[in-house]
Amino acid sequence: MEKPDRVKLLETMLLIRRFEEKLEDLSKEQGKLHGMMIVCTGQEAVAAGVSAALEPQDVIISNHRSHGHLIAKGAEPDLIMAEIYGKRTGYNKGKSGTLHIAAPEVNALCTTTVVGGGIPIAVGTAFAAQYEQKDFVTVCYFGNGATDEGSFHEALNLAALWSLPVIFVCENNVYSGAQRQEEHTRVKDLAHRAVAYGMASEVVDGNDVLKVYEATARARAKCLAGEGPILIECKTYRWGGHSTTDQQVYQPKEEIEQWKQRCPIEKLKKELLAAGILSETAWQQMNTKVNQLVDKSVQFAEESPWPDVTEALEDVFA
Ligand SMILES: Cc1ncc(C[n+]2csc(CCOP(=O)(O)OP(=O)(O)O)c2C)c(N)n1
């Protein structure tokens, strides 16, 4: 298995963190971003680790917590930010906003906020790869709550039956809206649900980006060898509320603190500093570079034009 560039992994996680911190700040400012922001703070290792094991031709299907998935797959921060602002220059010409961004340029084909809705779509793209004998895999991201949806079970059954090249990535962040996992299922390791469909699965520390990378690289190799699909459950934690409008009254403060001690970015940074792979100066430079990228994306979005009203029905299929 190839070793990933660990400094690059750190930078990807940092970019996701800073991009979403900016979104949170902007959403509090009058007249900047409208509506709630759904961010993945604390979960960055999942997107970064998964995408580091993928190739450009691989497809991702995302859910409502999508910014990290898109950034890690190589989508342009400028175009994501412009889309979130609703501007003409955004990935979807301002029509998707924060929750439905598709970036076909990097094979991020679909983001859907219908919980569990992306899973059958991923089975469809994986079927296309198999049918057309193309060497790409599909990754489908979803939360723990989605594994209670009927779509999850139907899609996994069919994917297993047809040995499709799809990697199901369950980001188990303990919550599903305001519900804890134990309030919506008796199953502890959601990866075990794959057993019901004769499918391989793995439980991974979702705050360890290297572990996520390795599991995905193994899964990708299996899928391309015709031994797919696979379900990877990444155990992680949502530091914030479900969205920026959620006051988090149901999340114990001690629990949040414990998980903050396991910050995926701090963990990798410490390891790289200890191994002499990263210096304090290089870390500061990385922060400066990432902050500049984020600021540039905001400037790009703010200076971009609004869509014209005459475009309202363009690119709309239903
Ligand atoms: C089919 C459907 N049911 C309910 C909702 C409302 N809803 C949006 S996000 C969410 C929680 C999803 O939890 P999970 O799948 O665990 O993902 P997480 O938000 O934790 O990342 C719910 C219930 C929805 N969007 N779609």
Side-chain angles (χ1 to χ4, degrees), residues 4-300:
D5 179 342
R6 286 181 284 172
V7 176
K8 180 82 191 94
L9 279 174
L10 185 65
E11 190 175 312
T12 304
M13 291 196 288
L14 193 64
L15 178 57
I16 296 170
R17 175 77 56 92
R18 296 282 178 264
F19 186 89
E20 293 199 317
E21 282 172 350
K22 182 63 82 178
L23 290 183
E24 291 189 277
D25 290 347
L26 289 167
S27 68
K28 288 180 205 140
E29 276 185 55
Q30 192 68 26
K32 293 278 182 182
L33 297 180
H34 300 283
M36 62 181 184
M37 293 296 130
I38 297 187
V39 300
C40 70
T41 307
Q43 306 177 207
E44 297 88 349
V46 178
V50 166
S51 263
L54 300 183
E55 294 295 331
Q57 71 270 23
D58 294 331
V59 164
I60 65 163
I61 306 292
S62 181
N63 65 353
H64 50 279
R65 217 170 285 288
S66 72
H67 310 129
H69 306 153
L70 294 163
I71 289 172
K73 190 67 171 64
E76 294 285 335
D78 286 12
L79 306 193
I80 303 175
M81 190 61 86
E83 188 55 49
I84 296 172
Y85 265 79
K87 295 294 185 80
R88 176 77 183 69
T89 53
Y91 264 115
N92 309 119
K93 302 181 188 171
K95 289 192 176 111
S96 77
T98 167
L99 289 176
H100 300 97
I101 301 176
E105 294 86 340
V106 293
N107 283 315
L109 295 189
C110 167
T111 296
T112 170
T113 60
V114 178
V115 173
I119 310 174
I121 294 172
V123 171
T125 55
F127 174 73
Q130 186 187 65
Y131 187 74
E132 294 181 354
Q133 299 184 341
K134 297 227 170 103
D135 275 346
F136 72 86
V137 303
T138 297
V139 164
C140 183
Y141 293 101
F142 49 86
N144 41 302
T147 70
D148 285 339
E149 293 287 346
S151 57
F152 168 86
H153 297 275
E154 293 181 33
L156 262 70
N157 186 53
L158 198 63
L161 184 69
W162 290 347
S163 304
L164 295 179
V166 52
I167 306 170
F168 298 106
V169 177
C170 176
E171 272 183 90
N172 187 347
N173 62 10
V174 181
Y175 289 89
S176 199
Q179 267 191 321
R180 292 178 66 83
Q181 183 184 337
E182 55 270 28
E183 290 172 312
H184 67 82
T185 178
R186 292 181 72 162
V187 180
K188 284 204 166 58
D189 289 329
L190 300 173
H192 288 166
R193 292 191 145 165
V195 175
Y197 307 109
M199 184 190 299
S201 67
E202 199 170 330
V203 179
V204 179
D205 177 352
N207 281 25
D208 185 333
V209 70
L210 293 172
K211 291 269 168 22
V212 176
Y213 164 82
E214 286 162 10
T216 310
R218 279 193 297 275
R220 186 174 188 276
K222 269 171 88 80
C223 281
L224 292 181
E227 296 163 18
I230 184 162
L231 170 64
I232 300 175
E233 179 188 2
C234 299
K235 305 266 194 197
T236 183
Y237 190 79
R238 198 190 71 197
W239 287 12
H242 173 69
S243 73
T244 45
T245 56
D246 178 352
Q247 301 303 311
Q248 274 187 290
V249 286
Y250 53 88
Q251 254 172 291
K253 291 206 169 34
E254 314 77 61
E255 183 181 77
I256 301 172
E257 276 317 307
Q258 275 168 14
W259 279 89
K260 283 189 174 174
Q261 297 306 316
R262 298 184 49 202
C263 172
I265 298 176
E266 278 300 310
K267 176 178 162 48
L268 183 61
K269 179 192 137 195
K270 273 194 198 133
E271 284 167 8
L272 295 185
L273 285 173
I277 294 168
L278 184 77
S279 64
E280 275 296 345
T281 315
W283 166 245
Q284 293 311 329
Q285 285 168 345
M286 187 188 285
N287 272 274
T288 307
K289 179 181 167 191
V290 161
N291 289 341
Q292 281 171 350
L293 273 174
V294 173
D295 288 345
K296 183 168 93 58
S297 74
V298 175
Q299 191 183 353
F300 175 78

